[in-house]
Amino acid sequence: MSSLKILFLMLCMTLVSCTGQRTGKEDDNNDGVTIEVEEIKFPPQDILQLKSYYMSSSVHVDSTDYLIGYNYRSHSLDCMNLKSKSVTQIILPGDGPDAIVRLSGIYVQSLDSVWISDESERAFLIDSAGTIKRTIDLKKYLEEQEQLLINTNYAMFTSHLFYSSPRHSLMFLVKNTASDTFIVKEIFMDKDDKMATYRLSPSKIIPDMSKGYAYINFPNVNFVGENIVYNYPVESSIYTLNMRTNERKYILADSRYTSNIIEKCTTTGDYATLEKHWLEPPHFYDVMYLPKYKIYARLHADKVDFDEKKGVEKLINERDLYLMLFDEHMEKIGEMKLSNCRYSPFTSWNATYGGIAFFVDNILDEKNDTDDLTIDMIFLK
């Protein structure tokens, strides 16, 4: 896991505050789908919140959407009420026998039941006061040659921690390093920690990613009902696996605006070579689900022309972001380009009940010099 941590530290250095203003509609596609953008500006708070949260989870309570994000500076969970524009904070224990170290995943079951995982490879259920209600040692469920892959790093891959209330189970991704395969493990909480496993299919476009795809050869994994929904950052296809029936589906989800595959890096060399290969091609992010509309959404970043004179930080933040939407049957219903230089491709979004919340944070946005928390809500019209 050391390579993940090194790259994560590099990304943390890019979290520089910047903001702008944007309201209105975006409709540059020919699919008859329109999105509406609503800007939410949070007033100054009594707590030291972040400008954007690289790790967050949403919950819908009494017609209100909440985002709960990990504040790595204060080692806390910041609860953002998108209606009242207020932020409260849950301080996590950092010392003693119950100490929680840097988080790797968040899943909000309710405002008073939040599942988190940390780099000690444990999962915790905490309440709104930060009290630990349950601790699970995930290492108990790993075989000798398995690697735990709960990760939220948009430069690499995102595999989410997930709790299913109907199934009373906790789910997460692992990699079998011996067979180079990916498996979702499901721990049933009310069955003496009985476990089920689900093997993910390799990419149909690039079946072998063992060489030439450093840092991005892991799947993005999300969960919707009884389905595991996953894709690979290096190509545009989407895959689903039904945990009850074992039915597998393969969805072609090509963009009409960008390339749909990342070519293998054939040059072996230093980190600068890998960095160039990591920045230049497009990158496909995890598939999200919007319950209100029963639609799926996927973002991807377009390629950039590598220019050493610009520097890595500028190249990262000038990448174009595209949003693709699918109906409940995974049929494509629209694709559109989002506002340029407004969101970070690493720290910027989370699906909510009826939309997608984007943290407004891009160092190339010169329209506003405030450090206040601003969120763009994107809704389907």
Side-chain angles (χ1 to χ4, degrees):
M1 293 295 288
S2 59
S3 61
L4 304 187
K5 294 178 182 177
I6 291 170
L7 190 53
F8 169 77
L9 291 173
M10 187 191 85
L11 297 183
C12 284
M13 296 172 63
T14 69
L15 305 182
V16 181
S17 294
C18 178
T19 186
Q21 294 186 7
R22 175 74 160 78
T23 57
K25 298 179 180 179
E26 304 214 9
D27 185 16
D28 63 349
N29 68 92
N30 298 316
D31 303 294
V33 176
T34 303
I35 58 174
E36 183 176 7
V37 183
E38 176 188 340
E39 183 184 70
I40 303 173
K41 280 185 168 292
F42 283 69
Q45 306 288 321
D46 294 331
I47 65 170
L48 184 63
Q49 85 276 347
L50 301 179
K51 181 116 185 95
S52 59
Y53 294 77
Y54 74 91
M55 186 189 308
S56 62
S57 179
S58 69
V59 66
H60 187 73
V61 180
D62 296 332
S63 75
T64 299
D65 283 322
Y66 296 82
L67 288 180
I68 294 185
Y70 176 52
N71 188 329
Y72 64 92
R73 290 178 180 169
S74 59
H75 192 48
S76 65
L77 295 178
D78 293 358
C79 182
M80 293 157 269
N81 184 319
L82 301 188
K83 181 179 288 186
S84 67
K85 304 177 186 177
S86 60
V87 184
T88 56
Q89 201 165 68
I90 303 171
I91 301 297
L92 300 175
D95 301 302
D98 294 327
I100 297 172
V101 297
R102 182 184 285 272
L103 299 194
S104 58
I106 304 173
Y107 180 80
V108 183
Q109 181 180 349
S110 70
L111 291 176
D112 198 43
S113 296
V114 181
W115 286 96
I116 58 176
S117 59
D118 72 358
E119 292 182 353
S120 72
E121 299 190 334
R122 295 176 297 167
F124 307 87
L125 176 63
I126 65 170
D127 64 16
S128 56
T131 303
I132 298 174
K133 297 297 186 181
R134 185 164 185 175
T135 302
I136 299 174
D137 184 1
L138 300 177
K139 294 188 290 294
K140 285 174 44 181
Y141 302 93
L142 300 180
E143 297 180 9
E144 185 176 349
Q145 294 178 311
E146 289 184 338
Q147 176 186 15
L148 182 65
L149 293 176
I150 301 173
N151 183 63
T152 307
N153 188 329
Y154 290 105
M156 299 168 62
F157 68 101
T158 54
S159 57
H160 296 276
L161 179 71
F162 179 74
Y163 179 79
S164 171
S165 295
R167 297 167 69 91
H168 303 290
S169 63
L170 195 66
M171 304 183 208
F172 51 89
L173 178 71
V174 303
K175 178 182 180 179
N176 186 303
T177 56
S179 61
D180 200 27
T181 56
F182 298 99
I183 302 164
V184 166
K185 296 203 169 185
E186 181 178 21
I187 304 170
F188 294 94
M189 300 297 180
D190 57 353
K191 297 181 181 180
D192 297 323
D193 292 344
K194 179 184 175 183
M195 184 178 67
T197 61
Y198 310 92
R199 187 179 65 83
L200 304 187
S201 300
S203 165
K204 290 185 176 292
I205 308 300
I206 312 174
D208 183 8
M209 301 182 196
S210 58
K211 295 181 180 178
Y213 296 97
Y215 304 122
I216 52 176
N217 56 350
F218 303 87
N220 303 312
V221 179
N222 223 324
F223 303 88
V224 181
E226 294 182 332
N227 288 313
I228 302 170
V229 183
Y230 60 104
N231 64 320
Y232 292 89
V234 299
E235 55 105 347
S236 59
S237 305
I238 297 172
Y239 307 80
T240 66
L241 169 59
N242 186 287
M243 292 177 283
R244 181 175 55 84
T245 65
N246 202 37
E247 180 184 9
R248 296 174 184 267
K249 293 183 179 179
Y250 163 59
I251 299 101
L252 286 171
D254 287 357
S255 169
R256 66 164 173 260
Y257 295 112
T258 71
S259 301
N260 290 289
I261 187 172
I262 296 178
E263 298 298 331
K264 179 185 292 188
C265 181
T266 57
T267 305
T268 58
D270 55 15
Y271 180 76
T273 302
L274 293 175
E275 183 180 64
K276 181 179 179 181
H277 181 253
W278 164 62
L279 280 173
E280 278 190 321
H283 186 105
F284 296 90
Y285 302 107
D286 65 307
V287 179
M288 301 172 283
Y289 183 67
L290 312 183
K292 179 179 179 180
Y293 304 109
K294 295 183 180 180
I295 66 170
Y296 296 86
R298 186 203 63 201
L299 291 155
H300 74 279
D302 198 3
K303 64 180 182 179
V304 294
D305 295 323
F306 193 83
D307 185 347
E308 292 183 358
K309 295 179 181 179
K310 287 185 177 181
V312 171
E313 196 170 48
K314 185 173 182 180
L315 290 171
I316 289 171
N317 283 277
E318 71 179 11
R319 300 182 78 170
D320 291 331
L321 281 173
Y322 291 86
L323 171 65
M324 187 176 288
L325 300 172
F326 308 83
D327 66 18
E328 60 182 315
H329 305 294
M330 276 292 183
E331 296 289 337
K332 179 183 170 183
I333 57 175
E335 182 182 14
M336 56 221 65
K337 180 178 176 294
L338 300 181
S339 296
N340 192 35
C341 297
R342 183 160 173 85
Y343 316 117
S344 165
F346 293 151
T347 64
S348 264
W349 56 83
N350 202 300
T352 66
Y353 173 72
I356 306 174
F358 284 83
F359 296 106
V360 178
D361 189 5
N362 188 296
I363 64 167
L364 302 182
D365 188 346
E366 300 176 349
K367 296 179 180 178
N368 200 318
D369 59 0
T370 177
D371 286 337
D372 293 341
L373 174 62
T374 303
I375 292 175
D376 278 356
M377 284 299 303
I378 290 186
F379 302 103
L380 185 66
K381 289 286 286 183

